[in-house]
Amino acid sequence: VQLQASGGGLVQAGGSLSLSCVASGSIFSFDLMGWYRQAPGKQRELVASITSGGVTNWADSVKGRFTISGDIAKDTVFLQMNSLKPEDTAVYYCLAEVHVIVTNTTYYYWGQGTLVTVSS
């Protein structure tokens, strides 16, 4: 399974960016897709996720500023980031999860990461 993320870049504080992630190669339908980020010297953290049923989960720090959307059945997820702050600067990683019921195993797939830099 491969996840291809795109859309990162440099933006001034207050600006917007949109990230996209497209997955390929999976024989299973994903149960969840989402975005994590990792800033220099910090642990990777959840930004937002969405399940195949449309349930979303958010980091408190991005609520009201970021929007996650996508079509899990089509293996795509997007992250619209508005009102960006310098503290949003990080490498953003796309994630896809598959839970295989017969083996009760969850598989996690990560994209290569895309850098978002927000200047003050």
Side-chain angles (χ1 to χ4, degrees):
V1 176
Q2 292 187 329
L3 275 67
Q4 183 67 44
S6 60
L10 173 65
V11 66
Q12 289 187 332
S16 299
L17 279 176
S18 181
L19 304 183
S20 300
C21 177
V22 179
S24 60
S26 177
I27 62 172
F28 297 106
S29 296
F30 296 124
D31 297 298
L32 178 148
M33 295 187 75
W35 295 92
Y36 278 68
R37 66 186 181 187
Q38 187 166 18
K42 295 187 177 181
Q43 290 187 331
R44 192 173 296 190
E45 62 176 4
L46 170 72
V47 177
S49 64
I50 184 169
T51 70
S52 57
V55 178
T56 56
N57 191 25
W58 298 93
D60 288 341
S61 60
V62 305
K63 283 181 179 178
R65 300 188 297 122
F66 292 10
T67 302
I68 189 168
S69 62
D71 188 338
I72 306 300
K74 294 183 178 179
D75 300 341
T76 58
V77 66
F78 307 99
L79 187 68
Q80 177 64 40
M81 304 183 292
N82 299 326
S83 302
L84 282 160
K85 303 175 181 179
E87 50 263 44
D88 295 318
T89 295
V91 177
Y92 284 69
Y93 296 91
C94 178
L95 165 74
E97 293 182 12
V98 175
H99 183 72
V100 180
I101 296 175
V102 292
T103 60
N104 194 30
T105 303
T106 300
Y107 296 90
Y108 302 90
Y109 303 100
W110 293 93
Q112 83 283 9
T114 184
L115 178 63
V116 172
T117 303
V118 185
S119 63
S120 57

